[in-house]
């Protein structure tokens, strides 16, 4: 044990500054019972010599003494010749709040600085990830496009070839005549959905069925899958990334009763079947990719004519 009364020196310095033990506890962040033990030189009641040294140093620094010198005294090193003279008594012209306010604010700021830095780093990472995700959705399809060639594609402008085919088909012999009554428009219905899979149907379809695609506010990849001999029952009959302001269309081969329409960023896409809007997300269940299974039922007149064509 040190010969110098460390506790008395610390207590006298505290009282000289009109500081209570509660105030000292807030400044040093040391429990009040340990501060009392230090003033009473009851070092044995503390957890260990490491904590004793730390508490003495914190106490001394808070009351204006040299904590290292008092720790040396506690450790049994030579005491300065006149440690009493090191204590400078002076009249406090400012309040204790003014004395320690600036020091406390600096300590609080330094303690919170690592949390602030990590928060800023986390925010920066979140912004970068969001930006990359947004760019990826804008620039590339969300569905991987198979390595198959586009077999058939038509623009929105009617071609002279299709006009010739339509006109020539009317001259083929048939056992029945077309009714002069107005045709019932194609009806497109939303049937059900499960996750990203949507089931739809189109009835009263006039052949050839025509799909018209329009990108609204952003690009969208479109793939139309039809199992045909031309693509060996494997691959897309039509695929394209459609840009806003550049609508595209494709004709479905006659007699096709089942197609699958895959959309990348489906929230950007609108499409029609024979001029009738296909509302594939009426429940507004989300954005992103969609796989639309659509069954086609043709008009009764066309079905009768197809069955009665001469062999």
């Amino acid at each position: 044990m040190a010969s110098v009364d460390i506790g008395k020196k610390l207590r006298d310095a505290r009282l000289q500054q009109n500081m209570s033990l509660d105030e000292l506890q807030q400044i040093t962040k040391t429990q009040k019972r340990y501060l009392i033990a230090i003033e009473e030189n009851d070092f044995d009641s503390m957890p260990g010599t490491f904590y004793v040294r730390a508490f003495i140093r914190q106490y001394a620094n808070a009351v204006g003494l040299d904590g290292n010198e008092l720790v040396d005294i506690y450790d049994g090193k030579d005491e300065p010749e006149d440690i009493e003279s090191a204590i400078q008594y002076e009249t406090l012209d400012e309040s204790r709040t003014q004395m320690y306010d600036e020091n406390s604010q600096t300590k609080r700021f330094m303690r919170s600085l690592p949390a602030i830095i990590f928060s800023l780093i986390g925010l920066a990472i979140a912004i970068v990830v969001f930006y990359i995700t947004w760019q990826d959705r804008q620039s590339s399809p969300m569905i991987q496009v198979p390595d198959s060639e586009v077999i058939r594609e038509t623009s929105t402008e009617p071609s002279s070839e299709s006009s010739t085919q339509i006109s020539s088909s009317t001259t083929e012999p048939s056992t029945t005549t077309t009714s002069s009554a107005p045709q019932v428009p194609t009806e497109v219905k939303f049937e059900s959905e499960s996750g990203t899979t949507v089931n739809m149907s189109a009835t009263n379809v006039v052949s050839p069925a025509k799909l018209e695609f329009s990108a609204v506010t952003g690009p969208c990849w479109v793939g139309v899958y039809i199992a045909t001999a031309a693509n060996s029952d494997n691959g897309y009959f039509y695929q394209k990334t459609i840009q806003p302001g550049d609508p595209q269309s494709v004709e479905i081969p006659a007699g096709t009763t089942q197609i699958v329409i895959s959309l990348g960023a489906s929230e950007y896409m609108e499409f029609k079947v024979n001029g009738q809007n296909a509302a594939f997300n009426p429940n507004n269940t989300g954005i992103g990719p969609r796989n639309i299974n659509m069954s086609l039922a043709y008009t009764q007149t066309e079905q009768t004519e197809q069955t009665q064509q001469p062999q």
Side-chain angles (χ1 to χ4, degrees):
M1 179 65 64
S3 60
V4 176
D5 192 342
I6 297 175
K8 182 177 184 302
K9 290 181 180 295
L10 292 172
R11 181 174 181 276
D12 290 342
R14 174 177 65 81
L15 296 176
Q16 181 65 27
Q17 297 192 29
N18 296 324
M19 185 185 301
S20 67
L21 284 173
D22 291 330
E23 292 174 322
L24 184 62
Q25 177 179 246
Q26 293 178 357
I27 295 172
T28 61
K29 307 302 179 184
T30 302
Q31 296 183 22
K32 185 177 179 180
R33 61 192 181 95
Y34 291 139
L35 298 176
I36 295 174
I38 290 173
E39 290 186 349
E40 295 175 355
N41 295 314
D42 185 14
F43 304 121
D44 294 334
S45 64
M46 296 188 183
T49 57
F50 173 82
Y51 292 99
V52 172
R53 293 186 184 95
F55 294 159
I56 290 175
R57 187 177 287 107
Q58 291 173 349
Y59 191 132
N61 292 340
V63 297
L65 298 180
D66 190 338
N68 293 326
E69 290 185 1
L70 291 180
V71 169
D72 289 342
I73 294 173
Y74 170 79
D75 290 336
K77 297 181 180 180
D78 292 337
E79 180 183 1
E81 295 180 358
D82 188 12
I83 194 170
E84 290 289 345
S85 61
I87 304 176
Q88 299 296 327
Y89 299 99
E90 57 181 9
T91 304
L92 298 179
D93 296 330
E94 298 177 346
S95 66
R96 290 187 299 275
T97 301
Q98 291 174 326
M99 285 184 61
Y100 296 101
D101 182 68
E102 180 178 356
N103 187 39
S104 299
Q105 290 181 355
T106 303
K107 289 182 179 178
R108 286 196 297 269
F109 176 79
M110 294 303 296
R111 286 196 297 270
S112 62
L113 186 59
I116 295 174
I117 293 174
F118 281 113
S119 299
L120 292 176
I121 293 174
L123 179 61
I125 293 174
I127 292 173
V128 171
V129 172
F130 175 81
Y131 179 78
I132 293 175
T133 303
W134 181 81
Q135 285 289 95
D136 184 66
R137 290 184 54 196
Q138 296 294 320
S139 60
S140 61
M142 298 187 69
I143 299 177
Q144 294 296 326
V145 183
D147 295 328
S148 59
E149 296 181 356
V150 175
I151 298 175
R152 185 177 180 186
E153 177 182 346
T154 61
S155 63
T156 54
E157 297 295 331
S159 64
S160 58
E161 181 181 355
S162 61
S163 301
T164 305
Q165 292 176 350
I166 296 174
S167 61
S168 62
S169 65
T170 58
T171 61
E172 295 180 357
S174 175
T175 58
T176 60
T177 58
T178 304
S179 174
S180 60
Q183 294 180 342
V184 179
T186 299
E187 184 178 1
V188 184
K189 290 184 179 180
F190 172 89
E191 302 292 346
S192 62
E193 65 180 340
S194 177
T196 60
T197 301
V198 179
N199 298 312
M200 300 186 72
S201 64
T203 56
N204 298 323
V205 178
V206 177
S207 183
K210 186 177 181 181
L211 302 178
E212 301 173 78
F213 298 100
S214 299
V216 184
T217 57
C220 178
W221 178 83
V222 175
V224 180
Y225 176 83
I226 304 174
T228 64
N231 61 10
S232 301
D233 296 338
N234 184 20
Y236 284 95
F237 172 79
Y238 170 89
Q239 56 179 317
K240 188 176 181 67
T241 298
I242 299 176
Q243 302 292 335
D246 184 23
Q248 300 291 324
S249 66
V250 60
E251 289 184 357
I252 304 302
T256 301
T257 59
Q258 188 70 34
I259 62 175
V260 178
I261 303 171
S262 296
L263 304 177
S266 62
E267 65 271 21
Y268 298 147
M269 178 54 59
E270 293 179 352
F271 77 92
K272 298 180 180 180
V273 182
N274 282 0
Q276 300 301 312
N277 184 51
F280 59 86
N281 189 18
N283 299 323
N284 193 25
T285 55
I287 62 177
R290 287 288 190 282
N291 291 317
I292 303 170
N293 299 320
M294 179 173 287
S295 60
L296 304 177
Y298 295 90
T299 60
Q300 294 297 322
T301 301
E302 289 191 352
Q303 293 175 352
T304 302
E305 288 179 349
Q306 291 174 3
T307 57
Q308 294 182 357
Q309 290 291 334
Q311 302 298 324

